[in-house]
Amino acid sequence: MNWDALGAMGELFGALAVVLTLGYLAVQIRQNSDGMKVAAKLDIEKNFNEYTDLILRDSELLELQVKGLAGQDLEAIEEIKFSLLMQRATRHFSSMYYQYQTQDLSEDEWYESRRLIRWFTFAPGYRSWWEQNKKNYRVDFRNYRSKIFESGDV
């Protein structure tokens, strides 16, 4: 065997190693992407469960949320507490929307999230709160929310 043949075989093995490495990397990237999607879904569930637990542990907060979402008059301290509750919920909604936009949530998972957002969105007290606070959120999320209000659906 001459040096040219050995060089050609070396190039062939090198090219094969590159192809195998690229295949391996593609599999790893896909697994990582799937793992990130699962983590995003678990994060949404965890955050919403924490919010729900907060409301359920304190009957006054539960009453305040019901009263506030219904658009009933609130005392000054109740307005502050209600605003903080809505900030917490809305940050969660904004996060859901962002994860959907980055394709970390599937269409089915986004459907569940949209239903939750819709429930809050059409409550009179939430709409009033949103009008006063929407400037605190990302433009893309504000545009999404405006589309909800205009269309009457999520």
Side-chain angles (χ1 to χ4, degrees), residues 29-42 104:
I29 288 170
R30 182 180 198 142
Q31 287 176 344
N32 184 47
S33 178
D34 291 345
M36 289 177 62
K37 288 178 181 182
V38 168
K41 176 64 174 170
L42 291 175
D104 287 332

Side-chain angles (χ1 to χ4, degrees), residues 106-126:
S106 70
E107 286 296 326
D108 289 340
E109 291 160 343
W110 177 235
Y111 175 82
E112 293 174 7
S113 298
R114 285 192 332 248
R115 298 296 88 181
L116 178 62
I117 293 170
R118 185 179 196 283
W119 183 81
F120 270 84
T121 296
F122 289 107
Y126 184 82

Side-chain angles (χ1 to χ4, degrees), residues 24-104:
Y24 175 76
L25 285 175
V27 168
Q28 291 299 311
I29 288 170
R30 182 180 198 142
Q31 287 176 344
N32 184 47
S33 178
D34 291 345
M36 289 177 62
K37 288 178 181 182
V38 168
K41 176 64 174 170
L42 291 175
D43 186 50
I44 285 174
E45 294 296 326
K46 178 181 170 255
N47 288 338
F48 186 68
N49 287 340
E50 286 174 0
Y51 180 82
T52 304
D53 289 345
L54 174 73
I55 300 295
L56 292 176
R57 279 193 305 263
D58 187 336
S59 61
E60 288 181 22
L61 280 180
L62 179 58
E63 288 177 33
L64 175 63
Q65 178 171 297
V66 170
K67 188 175 169 182
L69 289 175
Q72 296 176 12
D73 289 334
L74 301 175
E75 306 223 357
I77 193 73
E78 289 178 321
E79 284 182 22
I80 293 168
K81 285 182 178 180
F82 180 72
S83 183
L84 291 171
L85 281 174
M86 295 306 97
Q87 284 177 30
R88 189 171 189 170
T90 304
R91 293 265 180 237
H92 182 59
F93 301 154
S94 178
S95 176
M96 286 185 225
Y97 181 72
Y98 177 78
Q99 290 176 351
Y100 174 67
Q101 291 299 99
T102 59
Q103 300 179 345
D104 287 332

